[in-house]
Amino acid sequence: MRDLALRLSSLAKALPGGRRLFDGLALTLEAGQHVAIRGESGAGKSTLLNIIAGLDTADSGEVMVAGTDLARLDEAGRTALRRDAIGFVFQAFHILPHLDLVRNVAFPLILQKQPRTSALMRAGAMLDAVGLGDRRSSYPRELSGGELQRVAIARALVHAPRLILADEPTGNLDPDTAAQIIALLKRTVKERGAAMLLVTHSPLAAATADRQLMLTPHGLVPVHG
């Protein structure tokens, strides 16, 4: 068996009003695998990613990321795990407005206390990879939504994470750019031995995955065809 990037066991989550998002959810994701999760709006897809990243908590069940049980970590430990092992492409980007693009992308490396020069070089290379190498000195306010999405993807990949969590990574992109970004994400997964969990409404983006799953109140159900 390849290295285990993620294991979810008997995961359950309900909203404060009592509506159950999911129960008995289980998933195993190995290094090099790319899994897409689909579901209706409000099904809990983003909530699931936040639970995996330690930004939210499940009502019950177990989350193991790169062999580490999140329940055994305090807030500092969860922050360190996100910094070192997880690349998160947020649906809302979370790009820092006061930093230019290259420093935004380099931010995870700076948090790891890597040398500034090498961090900026790696960030510049990632901006090249997403087609924004000529915009490295631009600021977020100067970019379109699609360009900000590409910056978010570059930042999520720059520190070579073990697990990539992508929340609608092509939602703000035109079809050609979306295809390029999905190809980059897939190439990163294969070349670096990472694993990727992709949440998407797009059947085309989901079809690129090794497996497609539908999020339901009873857990994850395989999607065929």
Side-chain angles (χ1 to χ4, degrees), residues 104-118:
N104 256 291
V105 174
F107 196 65
L109 303 174
I110 301 300
L111 290 178
Q112 291 179 343
K113 302 190 184 304
Q114 296 196 23
R116 178 181 173 82
T117 300
S118 63

Side-chain angles (χ1 to χ4, degrees), residues 88-95 101-102 104-106 123-135 142-158 167-182 184-185:
F88 204 137
V89 183
F90 292 95
Q91 192 171 0
F93 312 137
H94 294 302
I95 305 301
L101 301 193
V102 72
N104 256 291
V105 174
M126 280 307 311
L127 284 170
D128 286 336
V130 298
L132 290 172
D134 60 341
R135 304 294 302 276
E142 303 171 51
L143 272 63
S144 68
E147 289 168 333
L148 288 172
Q149 184 71 290
R150 285 188 274 163
V151 175
I153 289 166
R155 184 183 58 191
L157 299 180
V158 73
D167 193 356
E168 297 285 359
T170 63
N172 293 282
L173 305 178
D174 63 78
D176 289 341
T177 303
Q180 293 169 11
I181 290 301
I182 289 294
L184 171 64
L185 288 168

Side-chain angles (χ1 to χ4, degrees), residues 94-101 103-104 138-142:
H94 294 302
I95 305 301
L96 300 172
H98 60 287
L99 297 181
D100 61 19
L101 301 193
R103 286 187 293 164
N104 256 291
S138 298
Y139 282 81
R141 63 180 178 273
E142 303 171 51

Side-chain angles (χ1 to χ4, degrees), residues 193-211:
M196 180 166 66
L197 195 58
L198 168 72
V199 159
T200 182
H201 281 100
S202 168
L204 292 177
T208 66
D210 301 320
R211 285 185 287 157

